[in-house]
């Protein structure tokens, strides 16, 4: 039996999450894709950089915006290994990202399908399409292993 | 008659907002204060920097975290000229800021007393004290003048 292969964009986000874990950061990775090519990527790094805003999504969005020379990532997609928090969901709105695909849900800190539900209010001036569950098991395993080792 | 003086921290945030306007950015400014001293400041800059996350609060928080060498701004206060959006409210949570004071409310994009109400969900792992209205008229005037000139 062959397991359905995870698309390359989410595979790269999962690899970035593993890189975060090796650096002692909570394993979350993200990439921004435009017309099939990765134009920005990032991994969780708040501890190492002393930057509370250094989430994977923020890093990927900032890198993509620099690459395009535009604060708006119109027509771009974001792939991330965990449901975005309120901060990252807000950044996704500001960047006008067309579609967000995340792997695992995050009932404790998520703000897409949980809590603040940032995309579901008129104050979100842009509402991306949202897809969840792609690479869910792989992402959840990385997070479980990370927190198990630290207990 | 003497108008009640705005405290220096909010005065500085208002000056940063004016600086933003002069640079063609929506006039919003912010400072982070610890034990009475400003340890980080920022102003809105997404257009000039091609960075959709370059809000005043994010800049001030990042600068303060670098200054302290700590991703957590425990015991710090944030003064900002406009009600924070979801992204900035989320960053305030991650930074563990003790108190947020903002000048004007923002029904269109705010996420503290409007819309996502980021601090009011269990997914916000920290809930800062919130004070609003300090320097409200001054901040609202800066925003009104900015948008009037651009109409």
């Amino acid at each position: 039996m062959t397991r359905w292969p995870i698309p390359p964009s989410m595979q790269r986000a999962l690899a970035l999450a593993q890189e975060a874990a090796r650096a002692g950061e909570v394993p979350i990775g993200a990439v921004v894709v435009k017309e099939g090519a990765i134009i920005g990527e990032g991994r969780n790094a708040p501890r190492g950089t002393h930057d509370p805003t250094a989430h994977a999504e923020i890093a990927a969005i900032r890198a993509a915006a620099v690459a395009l020379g535009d604060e708006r990532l119109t027509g771009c997609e974001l792939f991330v290994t965990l449901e975005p928090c309120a901060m990252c969901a807000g950044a996704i709105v500001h960047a006008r990202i067309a579609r967000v695909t995340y792997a695992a849900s995050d009932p404790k800190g998520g703000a897409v399908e949980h809590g603040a539900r940032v995309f579901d209010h008129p104050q979100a001036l842009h509402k991306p399409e949202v897809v969840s569950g792609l690479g869910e098991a792989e992402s959840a395993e990385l997070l479980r292993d990370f927190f198990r080792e630290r207990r």
Side-chain angles (χ1 to χ4, degrees), chain A:
Chain A
M1 193 177 77
T2 305
R3 187 167 158 81
W4 174 74
I6 294 171
S9 301
M10 189 59 87
Q11 280 185 18
R12 179 64 189 146
L14 287 163
L16 287 160
Q18 287 180 301
E19 194 187 294
R22 284 193 297 271
E25 306 272 2
V26 177
I28 305 166
V31 300
V32 172
V33 172
K34 179 159 188 158
E35 293 162 7
I38 292 175
I39 61 164
E41 54 178 48
R43 54 118 172 134
N44 215 22
R47 290 174 193 172
T49 58
H50 304 313
D51 180 354
T53 75
H55 284 197
E57 301 94 313
I58 300 287
I61 287 170
R62 296 180 83 211
V66 167
L68 293 183
D70 192 338
E71 60 165 315
R72 297 199 172 172
L73 304 179
T74 314
C76 292
E77 285 190 63
L78 180 87
F79 292 81
V80 57
T81 60
L82 191 66
E83 179 185 351
C85 71
M87 176 180 74
C88 293
I92 287 163
V93 169
H94 294 313
R96 305 292 193 271
I97 285 178
R99 185 158 64 170
V100 177
T101 302
Y102 59 84
S105 289
D106 183 10
K108 283 190 187 166
V112 175
E113 57 176 299
H114 297 97
R117 290 178 169 77
V118 168
F119 303 145
D120 297 348
H121 302 275
Q123 285 79 4
L125 301 175
H126 165 83
K127 187 175 164 66
E129 188 186 339
V130 176
V131 177
S132 71
L134 177 70
E136 187 173 23
E138 289 76 0
S139 173
E141 190 185 356
L142 286 175
L143 288 159
R144 208 164 37 235
D145 289 351
F146 181 82
F147 288 113
R148 190 189 294 128
E149 280 172 25
R150 260 143 200 87
R151 222 177 272 142

